[in-house]
Amino acid sequence: MIRDTFARPLRNLRLSVTDRCNLRCAYCMPEEEYAWLPRADILTFEETARLVDVFADLGVDKVRLTGGEPLLRKDLAHLVKMIAAESRIRDLAITTNGILLGQEAQALRDAGIHRVTVSLDTLKPDRFQALTRRDSLTQVLEGIETVRAMSWPGLKLDTVVMRGVNDDELVDLVEFARRMSAEIRFIEYMDVGGATRWSMDKVVARAEILERLSERYGRIEDIVEESSAPADRFRLGDGLTFGVISSTTAPFCSSCDRSRLTADGQWLLCLYARTGMDLRKPLRDGASKPELIALLSSAWAARRDRGAEDRLLLTDRQPLIQITELKAKPHLEMHTRGG
Ligand code: SAM
Protein backbone atom coordinates (compact mmCIF):
# COMPACT_ATOMS: atom_id res chain seq x y z
CA MET A 1 0.00 0.00 0.00
CA ILE A 2 1.27 3.43 -0.96
CA ARG A 3 1.52 6.27 1.58
CA ASP A 4 1.89 10.04 1.24
CA THR A 5 4.26 12.38 3.10
CA PHE A 6 2.05 12.18 6.20
CA ALA A 7 1.84 8.36 5.97
CA ARG A 8 -1.77 8.51 4.78
CA PRO A 9 -2.70 5.58 2.52
CA LEU A 10 -4.61 5.93 -0.73
CA ARG A 11 -7.79 3.96 -0.11
CA ASN A 12 -10.73 6.05 -1.08
CA LEU A 13 -11.63 7.27 -4.55
CA ARG A 14 -14.50 9.62 -5.30
CA LEU A 15 -15.44 9.33 -8.93
CA SER A 16 -17.33 12.25 -10.38
CA VAL A 17 -19.16 10.85 -13.39
CA THR A 18 -20.66 14.12 -14.64
CA ASP A 19 -20.46 17.83 -13.89
CA ARG A 20 -24.17 18.28 -14.70
CA CYS A 21 -26.81 18.55 -12.03
CA ASN A 22 -30.60 18.82 -11.92
CA LEU A 23 -30.54 21.06 -8.84
CA ARG A 24 -29.01 24.48 -8.24
CA CYS A 25 -28.25 24.31 -4.52
CA ALA A 26 -27.27 27.68 -3.07
CA TYR A 27 -24.30 26.19 -1.22
CA CYS A 28 -22.90 24.18 -4.11
CA MET A 29 -23.89 25.15 -7.63
CA PRO A 30 -25.98 28.30 -7.39
CA GLU A 31 -25.66 29.58 -10.95
CA GLU A 32 -27.94 28.41 -13.77
CA GLU A 33 -25.13 28.15 -16.35
CA TYR A 34 -21.51 27.11 -15.98
CA ALA A 35 -18.55 26.40 -18.23
CA TRP A 36 -19.47 22.74 -18.74
CA LEU A 37 -16.81 20.15 -19.44
CA PRO A 38 -16.56 19.38 -23.17
CA ARG A 39 -18.33 16.12 -24.00
CA ALA A 40 -15.31 14.68 -25.80
CA ASP A 41 -13.26 15.10 -22.62
CA ILE A 42 -15.56 13.00 -20.45
CA LEU A 43 -13.97 9.64 -19.72
CA THR A 44 -15.72 6.66 -21.24
CA PHE A 45 -16.81 3.85 -18.93
CA GLU A 46 -13.92 1.74 -20.25
CA GLU A 47 -11.43 4.51 -19.46
CA THR A 48 -12.89 4.99 -15.99
CA ALA A 49 -12.81 1.26 -15.27
CA ARG A 50 -9.21 1.10 -16.45
CA LEU A 51 -8.26 3.80 -13.99
CA VAL A 52 -10.18 2.11 -11.18
CA ASP A 53 -8.14 -1.02 -11.84
CA VAL A 54 -4.92 1.00 -11.53
CA PHE A 55 -6.17 2.68 -8.34
CA ALA A 56 -7.06 -0.73 -6.90
CA ASP A 57 -3.47 -1.83 -7.53
CA LEU A 58 -2.33 1.09 -5.37
CA GLY A 59 -4.63 0.16 -2.48
CA VAL A 60 -7.97 1.81 -3.24
CA ASP A 61 -10.76 -0.40 -1.93
CA LYS A 62 -13.55 2.17 -1.57
CA VAL A 63 -15.16 3.95 -4.51
CA ARG A 64 -17.96 6.47 -4.32
CA LEU A 65 -19.78 7.68 -7.43
CA THR A 66 -20.68 11.33 -7.28
CA GLY A 67 -20.90 14.45 -9.44
CA GLY A 68 -22.68 16.73 -10.37
CA GLU A 69 -25.62 14.41 -10.10
CA PRO A 70 -24.34 10.91 -10.89
CA LEU A 71 -27.76 9.59 -11.90
CA LEU A 72 -27.76 12.02 -14.83
CA ARG A 73 -24.97 9.98 -16.42
CA LYS A 74 -26.55 7.77 -19.07
CA ASP A 75 -26.40 4.02 -18.40
CA LEU A 76 -24.69 4.54 -15.06
CA ALA A 77 -25.66 1.02 -13.98
CA HIS A 78 -23.37 -0.28 -16.71
CA LEU A 79 -20.38 1.54 -15.18
CA VAL A 80 -21.43 0.27 -11.75
CA LYS A 81 -21.35 -3.29 -13.09
CA MET A 82 -17.85 -2.79 -14.47
CA ILE A 83 -16.53 -1.41 -11.16
CA ALA A 84 -18.38 -3.99 -9.08
CA ALA A 85 -16.64 -6.72 -11.10
CA GLU A 86 -13.37 -5.50 -9.56
CA SER A 87 -13.26 -7.67 -6.43
CA ARG A 88 -10.68 -5.44 -4.70
CA ILE A 89 -13.32 -2.68 -4.44
CA ARG A 90 -15.05 -3.90 -1.30
CA ASP A 91 -17.19 -0.79 -0.84
CA LEU A 92 -18.97 0.76 -3.81
CA ALA A 93 -21.26 3.64 -2.88
CA ILE A 94 -23.11 6.50 -4.54
CA THR A 95 -24.01 9.99 -3.38
CA THR A 96 -27.12 11.36 -5.09
CA ASN A 97 -29.63 14.13 -4.67
CA GLY A 98 -32.29 11.41 -4.93
CA ILE A 99 -34.43 12.89 -7.70
CA LEU A 100 -33.94 9.95 -10.06
CA LEU A 101 -33.39 7.38 -7.33
CA GLY A 102 -36.94 6.00 -7.32
CA GLN A 103 -36.57 4.86 -10.91
CA GLU A 104 -32.91 3.82 -10.73
CA ALA A 105 -32.58 2.17 -7.32
CA GLN A 106 -33.28 -1.42 -8.38
CA ALA A 107 -30.95 -1.23 -11.38
CA LEU A 108 -28.19 0.25 -9.20
CA ARG A 109 -28.58 -2.46 -6.61
CA ASP A 110 -28.65 -5.20 -9.22
CA ALA A 111 -25.53 -3.72 -10.82
CA GLY A 112 -23.61 -3.88 -7.54
CA ILE A 113 -23.87 -0.62 -5.58
CA HIS A 114 -23.42 -1.51 -1.91
CA ARG A 115 -24.58 1.69 -0.22
CA VAL A 116 -26.58 4.80 -1.07
CA THR A 117 -26.22 8.28 0.41
CA VAL A 118 -28.89 10.85 -0.38
CA SER A 119 -28.40 14.57 0.16
CA LEU A 120 -31.37 16.01 2.00
CA ASP A 121 -31.20 19.49 3.50
CA THR A 122 -34.85 20.15 4.28
CA LEU A 123 -38.23 18.47 4.55
CA LYS A 124 -40.14 21.64 3.70
CA PRO A 125 -41.20 21.94 0.03
CA ASP A 126 -41.01 25.75 -0.17
CA ARG A 127 -37.62 25.74 1.52
CA PHE A 128 -36.40 23.03 -0.84
CA GLN A 129 -37.51 25.16 -3.78
CA ALA A 130 -35.77 28.25 -2.38
CA LEU A 131 -32.56 26.33 -1.65
CA THR A 132 -32.32 24.32 -4.89
CA ARG A 133 -34.35 26.42 -7.35
CA ARG A 134 -36.24 23.28 -8.34
CA ASP A 135 -39.53 21.82 -7.15
CA SER A 136 -38.32 18.24 -6.66
CA LEU A 137 -38.67 17.41 -2.97
CA THR A 138 -41.47 14.89 -3.64
CA GLN A 139 -39.24 12.88 -5.99
CA VAL A 140 -36.33 13.00 -3.52
CA LEU A 141 -38.53 11.68 -0.71
CA GLU A 142 -39.92 8.99 -3.02
CA GLY A 143 -36.37 7.99 -3.91
CA ILE A 144 -35.45 7.62 -0.24
CA GLU A 145 -38.64 5.67 0.43
CA THR A 146 -37.83 3.33 -2.48
CA VAL A 147 -34.46 2.47 -0.91
CA ARG A 148 -36.09 1.97 2.49
CA ALA A 149 -38.77 -0.30 1.04
CA MET A 150 -36.04 -2.41 -0.57
CA SER A 151 -34.50 -2.93 2.91
CA TRP A 152 -31.23 -1.90 1.32
CA PRO A 153 -28.77 -1.58 4.20
CA GLY A 154 -26.36 1.33 4.61
CA LEU A 155 -28.71 4.15 3.61
CA LYS A 156 -27.36 7.52 4.71
CA LEU A 157 -28.76 11.03 4.52
CA ASP A 158 -26.40 14.01 4.24
CA THR A 159 -27.55 17.42 5.42
CA VAL A 160 -25.51 20.59 4.98
CA VAL A 161 -26.46 22.71 7.99
CA MET A 162 -26.71 26.44 7.31
CA ARG A 163 -27.57 29.06 9.88
CA GLY A 164 -30.87 30.75 9.19
CA VAL A 165 -31.62 28.32 6.36
CA ASN A 166 -32.29 24.86 7.79
CA ASP A 167 -30.78 24.80 11.28
CA ASP A 168 -34.27 24.68 12.78
CA GLU A 169 -34.88 21.25 11.18
CA LEU A 170 -32.21 19.14 12.89
CA VAL A 171 -34.66 17.19 15.05
CA ASP A 172 -37.18 16.76 12.20
CA LEU A 173 -34.41 15.38 10.01
CA VAL A 174 -33.22 12.99 12.73
CA GLU A 175 -36.77 11.71 13.12
CA PHE A 176 -37.19 11.38 9.36
CA ALA A 177 -33.95 9.36 9.19
CA ARG A 178 -35.26 7.13 11.96
CA ARG A 179 -38.43 6.42 9.98
CA MET A 180 -36.36 5.64 6.87
CA SER A 181 -33.96 3.34 8.79
CA ALA A 182 -31.19 5.64 7.60
CA GLU A 183 -28.25 7.22 9.40
CA ILE A 184 -28.18 10.98 9.08
CA ARG A 185 -24.96 12.98 8.92
CA PHE A 186 -24.93 16.70 9.50
CA ILE A 187 -22.24 18.44 7.46
CA GLU A 188 -20.75 21.78 8.40
CA TYR A 189 -21.17 24.27 5.58
CA MET A 190 -17.84 24.38 3.74
CA ASP A 191 -16.13 27.21 1.88
CA VAL A 192 -15.53 25.10 -1.22
CA GLY A 193 -15.83 26.00 -4.92
CA GLY A 194 -19.31 27.11 -5.72
CA ALA A 195 -20.40 28.20 -2.27
CA THR A 196 -20.19 31.76 -3.43
CA ARG A 197 -22.31 33.13 -0.62
CA TRP A 198 -20.45 31.25 2.09
CA SER A 199 -19.46 33.12 5.22
CA MET A 200 -18.32 31.85 8.59
CA ASP A 201 -21.43 33.16 10.33
CA LYS A 202 -23.57 30.77 8.26
CA VAL A 203 -21.61 27.77 9.55
CA VAL A 204 -23.23 25.86 12.39
CA ALA A 205 -20.30 24.14 14.07
CA ARG A 206 -20.36 20.59 15.37
CA ALA A 207 -20.52 21.71 18.99
CA GLU A 208 -23.66 23.72 18.31
CA ILE A 209 -25.28 20.92 16.31
CA LEU A 210 -24.72 18.57 19.25
CA GLU A 211 -25.96 21.15 21.73
CA ARG A 212 -29.19 21.67 19.79
CA LEU A 213 -29.80 17.94 19.56
CA SER A 214 -29.11 17.37 23.23
CA GLU A 215 -31.72 20.00 24.11
CA ARG A 216 -34.24 17.60 22.60
CA TYR A 217 -32.66 14.19 23.21
CA GLY A 218 -30.63 14.60 26.39
CA ARG A 219 -27.22 13.04 26.72
CA ILE A 220 -25.46 12.20 23.47
CA GLU A 221 -22.79 9.54 23.56
CA ASP A 222 -19.61 9.59 21.40
CA ILE A 223 -19.10 6.43 19.42
CA VAL A 224 -15.39 5.69 19.59
CA GLU A 225 -14.17 3.86 16.50
CA GLU A 226 -11.01 3.46 14.45
CA SER A 227 -11.96 4.91 11.11
CA SER A 228 -10.79 7.24 8.38
CA ALA A 229 -14.42 8.16 7.66
CA PRO A 230 -15.08 11.90 7.79
CA ALA A 231 -18.04 11.66 10.15
CA ASP A 232 -17.75 11.51 13.92
CA ARG A 233 -20.56 9.26 15.04
CA PHE A 234 -22.84 9.67 18.04
CA ARG A 235 -25.59 7.74 19.78
CA LEU A 236 -28.77 9.09 21.34
CA GLY A 237 -30.10 7.66 24.60
CA ASP A 238 -32.66 5.62 22.65
CA GLY A 239 -29.90 3.99 20.58
CA LEU A 240 -30.32 5.96 17.34
CA THR A 241 -26.99 6.83 15.73
CA PHE A 242 -26.04 9.83 13.62
CA GLY A 243 -22.90 11.55 12.35
CA VAL A 244 -21.39 15.01 12.16
CA ILE A 245 -18.85 15.95 9.50
CA SER A 246 -16.99 18.94 10.85
CA SER A 247 -14.81 19.66 7.84
CA THR A 248 -14.92 23.41 8.46
CA THR A 249 -14.14 23.72 12.17
CA ALA A 250 -12.39 20.41 12.97
CA PRO A 251 -11.09 18.90 9.72
CA PHE A 252 -9.99 15.30 9.33
CA CYS A 253 -6.95 16.00 7.10
CA SER A 254 -4.65 13.92 9.29
CA SER A 255 -6.47 10.73 8.33
CA CYS A 256 -7.70 11.75 4.89
CA ASP A 257 -7.19 8.82 2.52
CA ARG A 258 -9.36 10.11 -0.28
CA SER A 259 -8.77 11.58 -3.68
CA ARG A 260 -11.10 12.65 -6.45
CA LEU A 261 -11.29 11.96 -10.14
CA THR A 262 -13.29 14.43 -12.21
CA ALA A 263 -15.48 13.24 -15.07
CA ASP A 264 -12.81 14.38 -17.54
CA GLY A 265 -9.98 12.60 -15.80
CA GLN A 266 -8.36 15.24 -13.58
CA TRP A 267 -7.07 13.67 -10.37
CA LEU A 268 -7.33 15.90 -7.28
CA LEU A 269 -5.53 15.01 -4.07
CA CYS A 270 -7.60 17.31 -1.86
CA LEU A 271 -11.07 18.85 -2.01
CA TYR A 272 -9.41 22.25 -1.71
CA ALA A 273 -6.69 21.58 -4.33
CA ARG A 274 -6.41 24.25 -7.00
CA THR A 275 -4.82 21.97 -9.56
CA GLY A 276 -5.05 18.31 -10.38
CA MET A 277 -3.13 15.79 -12.42
CA ASP A 278 -4.42 15.10 -15.91
CA LEU A 279 -4.88 11.33 -16.23
CA ARG A 280 -6.95 11.53 -19.40
CA LYS A 281 -4.01 12.47 -21.60
CA PRO A 282 -1.70 9.60 -20.65
CA LEU A 283 -4.67 7.25 -20.79
CA ARG A 284 -5.60 8.37 -24.31
CA ASP A 285 -1.96 8.51 -25.39
CA GLY A 286 -1.77 4.80 -24.67
CA ALA A 287 0.11 4.71 -21.36
CA SER A 288 0.63 1.17 -20.11
CA LYS A 289 -0.63 -0.01 -16.74
CA PRO A 290 2.87 0.10 -15.16
CA GLU A 291 3.29 3.66 -16.49
CA LEU A 292 -0.02 4.75 -14.96
CA ILE A 293 0.87 3.06 -11.68
CA ALA A 294 4.21 4.89 -11.61
CA LEU A 295 2.51 8.22 -12.33
CA LEU A 296 -0.08 7.83 -9.62
CA SER A 297 2.26 6.44 -7.00
CA SER A 298 4.79 9.22 -7.37
CA ALA A 299 2.05 11.85 -7.10
CA TRP A 300 0.55 10.22 -4.00
CA ALA A 301 3.96 9.72 -2.38
CA ALA A 302 4.56 13.49 -2.73
CA ARG A 303 1.11 14.45 -1.40
CA ARG A 304 1.28 17.12 1.31
CA ASP A 305 -2.27 18.49 1.08
CA ARG A 306 -4.06 19.41 4.28
CA GLY A 307 -6.46 21.81 2.59
CA ALA A 308 -9.15 22.10 5.25
CA GLU A 309 -6.56 22.59 8.01
CA ASP A 310 -4.83 25.30 5.99
CA ARG A 311 -8.18 27.10 5.73
CA LEU A 312 -8.45 27.08 9.53
CA LEU A 313 -5.37 29.27 9.78
CA LEU A 314 -6.92 32.10 7.76
CA THR A 315 -7.99 35.12 9.75
CA ASP A 316 -10.49 36.51 7.26
CA ARG A 317 -12.03 33.41 5.77
CA GLN A 318 -13.82 33.90 2.44
CA PRO A 319 -15.11 31.40 -0.14
CA LEU A 320 -12.16 29.52 -1.63
CA ILE A 321 -12.71 30.91 -5.11
CA GLN A 322 -14.67 33.83 -6.46
CA ILE A 323 -17.37 33.33 -9.07
CA THR A 324 -15.47 35.12 -11.89
CA GLU A 325 -12.52 32.75 -11.53
CA LEU A 326 -14.85 29.78 -11.24
CA LYS A 327 -16.48 30.46 -14.59
CA ALA A 328 -13.08 30.43 -16.27
CA LYS A 329 -11.82 27.35 -14.43
CA PRO A 330 -14.59 24.78 -14.07
CA HIS A 331 -12.34 22.32 -12.26
CA LEU A 332 -12.38 24.53 -9.21
CA GLU A 333 -16.13 23.90 -8.82
CA MET A 334 -17.52 21.53 -6.24
CA HIS A 335 -19.90 19.98 -8.76
CA THR A 336 -17.01 19.28 -11.14
CA ARG A 337 -14.68 17.80 -8.60
CA GLY A 338 -17.34 15.75 -6.90
CA GLY A 339 -18.34 16.55 -3.37
N1 SAM B 1 -25.55 15.56 -6.64
C1 SAM B 1 -25.15 14.65 -5.60
C2 SAM B 1 -25.77 15.06 -4.28
O1 SAM B 1 -26.50 16.04 -4.25
O2 SAM B 1 -25.55 14.36 -3.32
C3 SAM B 1 -23.66 14.45 -5.47
C4 SAM B 1 -22.75 15.63 -5.58
S1 SAM B 1 -22.80 16.76 -4.23
C5 SAM B 1 -21.56 17.94 -4.74
C6 SAM B 1 -22.04 15.83 -2.96
C7 SAM B 1 -22.15 16.35 -1.58
O3 SAM B 1 -21.46 17.56 -1.45
C8 SAM B 1 -23.56 16.60 -1.12
O4 SAM B 1 -23.86 15.85 0.02
C9 SAM B 1 -23.57 18.07 -0.82
O5 SAM B 1 -24.43 18.35 0.22
C10 SAM B 1 -22.12 18.33 -0.48
N2 SAM B 1 -21.76 19.73 -0.58
C11 SAM B 1 -21.79 20.52 -1.68
N3 SAM B 1 -21.43 21.78 -1.37
C12 SAM B 1 -21.14 21.79 -0.06
C13 SAM B 1 -20.71 22.81 0.85
N4 SAM B 1 -20.52 24.06 0.47
N5 SAM B 1 -20.50 22.45 2.15
C14 SAM B 1 -20.70 21.19 2.55
N6 SAM B 1 -21.11 20.19 1.74
C15 SAM B 1 -21.34 20.49 0.45
Side-chain angles (χ1 to χ4, degrees):
M1 179 178 297
I2 172 154
R3 291 187 181 266
D4 72 4
T5 55
F6 296 109
R8 298 170 296 188
L10 169 57
R11 300 208 42 200
N12 212 307
L13 180 67
R14 297 180 77 99
L15 269 182
S16 175
V17 292
T18 178
D19 58 334
R20 306 284 174 144
C21 192
N22 41 3
L23 292 180
R24 287 294 179 273
C25 298
Y27 58 81
C28 181
M29 191 183 182
E31 308 289 312
E32 213 43 67
E33 283 302 323
Y34 285 88
W36 306 110
L37 299 176
R39 227 161 255 279
D41 288 356
I42 304 293
L43 298 185
T44 63
F45 289 169
E46 287 68 26
E47 288 169 333
T48 306
R50 230 187 119 206
L51 285 177
V52 169
D53 172 52
V54 174
F55 277 108
D57 265 36
L58 295 174
V60 165
D61 59 3
K62 295 178 84 170
V63 171
R64 178 172 293 274
L65 302 178
T66 179
E69 171 47 39
L71 296 183
L72 288 180
R73 180 78 188 252
K74 206 164 160 278
D75 293 332
L76 185 71
H78 185 55
L79 176 65
V80 171
K81 239 182 234 157
M82 292 167 83
I83 300 175
E86 169 58 76
S87 59
R88 292 171 296 177
I89 305 302
R90 57 173 186 86
D91 185 23
L92 178 55
I94 187 166
T95 298
T96 169
N97 61 29
I99 295 176
L100 298 170
L101 190 55
Q103 65 200 62
E104 297 295 332
Q106 193 61 55
L108 290 173
R109 193 175 194 187
D110 293 346
I113 287 281
H114 302 135
R115 298 185 298 118
V116 177
T117 300
V118 184
S119 300
L120 181 71
D121 304 312
T122 178
L123 294 165
K124 297 179 195 287
D126 48 344
R127 194 173 273 184
F128 186 94
Q129 164 92 47
L131 190 62
T132 67
R133 296 218 251 130
R134 302 289 186 270
D135 182 17
S136 312
L137 180 61
T138 310
Q139 286 113 289
V140 174
L141 298 180
E142 279 169 11
I144 296 170
E145 170 56 24
T146 304
V147 174
R148 188 206 62 76
M150 289 163 71
S151 302
W152 192 350
L155 176 63
K156 289 201 175 96
L157 303 177
D158 274 3
T159 302
V160 179
V161 184
M162 291 157 284
R163 191 178 307 284
V165 176
N166 62 350
D167 55 336
D168 56 345
E169 285 191 72
L170 303 187
V171 169
D172 291 347
L173 286 160
V174 166
E175 291 307 317
F176 176 75
R178 187 197 300 278
R179 291 198 298 282
M180 293 298 122
S181 307
E183 183 166 288
I184 191 158
R185 301 179 321 163
F186 295 111
I187 309 175
E188 288 181 355
Y189 187 13
M190 295 171 70
D191 50 347
V192 277
T196 53
R197 287 149 200 92
W198 182 93
S199 61
M200 197 65 203
D201 59 354
K202 296 205 186 101
V203 177
V204 182
R206 170 173 69 176
E208 191 177 339
I209 292 172
L210 293 175
E211 205 179 285
R212 300 247 195 126
L213 291 172
S214 62
E215 276 165 21
R216 165 72 168 73
Y217 294 106
R219 204 177 86 79
I220 292 173
E221 182 196 341
D222 269 6
I223 299 178
V224 181
E225 53 195 354
E226 262 301 308
S227 157
S228 67
D232 294 325
R233 294 177 68 237
F234 301 91
R235 188 178 287 113
L236 302 179
D238 62 16
L240 190 80
T241 57
F242 67 96
V244 180
I245 302 181
S246 43
S247 328
T248 305
T249 68
F252 56 95
C253 301
S254 61
S255 64
C256 180
D257 59 3
R258 56 187 53 201
S259 69
R260 302 179 140 75
L261 187 67
T262 64
D264 63 343
Q266 300 290 313
W267 187 38
L268 298 157
L269 303 188
C270 175
L271 183 54
Y272 286 98
R274 282 179 176 264
T275 52
M277 175 182 256
D278 181 8
L279 300 184
R280 185 182 73 246
K281 186 164 185 331
L283 200 62
R284 292 191 176 170
D285 284 352
S288 66
K289 187 171 174 187
E291 281 166 347
L292 289 170
I293 289 177
L295 200 64
L296 266 61
S297 2
S298 60
W300 189 264
R303 178 182 186 242
R304 314 189 58 83
D305 302 71
R306 296 180 84 105
E309 283 180 3
D310 294 343
R311 307 285 302 161
L312 271 184
L313 303 175
L314 301 176
T315 42
D316 178 24
R317 202 163 163 178
Q318 303 283 333
L320 180 67
I321 292 143
Q322 300 304 317
I323 189 71
T324 41
E325 195 187 350
L326 279 174
K327 291 215 161 166
K329 296 183 187 159
H331 290 101
L332 297 175
E333 276 290 356
M334 183 73 156
H335 66 266
T336 305
R337 52 187 49 195

